[in-house]
């Protein structure tokens, strides 16, 4: 038969308390023997609970800028003669 694996000696992380067990419980009184021999033991801390990240805002697509310029020029080079010049120009600028 195969040998059973031995548990690792490395200290495991403590489990997060859930529900009513998270409430503090009255501490037990230490016995006289425990008071006499003080031991310093590193306690395993539970991993911090994952923090929910805020959803990123989606940028609205910006419409390109359309600019239309209309120019009318009225000229009177001689009395009784009128020249009308009309120019219309449309410019489309990319959104930045």
């Amino acid at each position: 038969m195969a040998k059973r694996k031995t548990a690792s000696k490395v200290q495991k992380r403590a489990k997060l308390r859930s529900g009513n067990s998270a409430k503090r419980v009255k501490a037990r009184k230490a016995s006289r023997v425990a008071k006499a021999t003080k031991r310093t033991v590193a306690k395993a801390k539970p991993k911090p609970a994952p923090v929910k990240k805020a959803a990123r805002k989606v940028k609205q697509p910006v419409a390109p800028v359309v600019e239309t310029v209309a120019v009318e020029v009225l000229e009177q080079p001689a009395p009784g003669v009128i020249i009308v010049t009309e120019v219309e120009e449309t410019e489309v600028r990319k959104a930045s």
Side-chain angles (χ1 to χ4, degrees):
M1 286 203 18
K3 267 191 169 179
R4 201 168 158 219
K5 285 186 181 177
T6 55
S8 68
K9 303 279 186 208
V10 182
Q11 191 177 28
K12 300 280 194 276
R13 283 201 175 269
K15 295 231 171 25
L16 280 171
R17 293 175 174 212
S18 61
N20 292 335
S21 64
K23 291 175 185 166
R24 289 180 181 243
V25 192
K26 236 185 223 181
R28 287 182 289 156
K29 285 188 179 178
S31 63
R32 287 184 186 172
V33 179
K35 282 182 188 175
T37 57
K38 279 201 171 185
R39 280 185 250 143
T40 53
V41 180
K43 290 184 181 175
K45 291 182 182 175
K47 271 188 179 176
V51 180
K52 280 190 177 178
K53 288 183 181 178
R56 287 188 178 179
K57 289 181 181 175
V58 179
K59 278 191 175 179
Q60 292 288 331
V62 183
V65 180
V66 179
E67 197 173 296
T68 308
V69 179
V71 179
E72 263 186 45
V73 181
L74 297 170
E75 291 180 83
Q76 196 171 7
V81 180
I82 298 171
I83 300 172
V84 179
T85 311
E86 247 184 79
V87 178
E88 194 172 313
E89 192 177 300
T90 305
E91 186 183 336
V92 179
R93 274 188 281 153
K94 289 179 183 170
S96 56

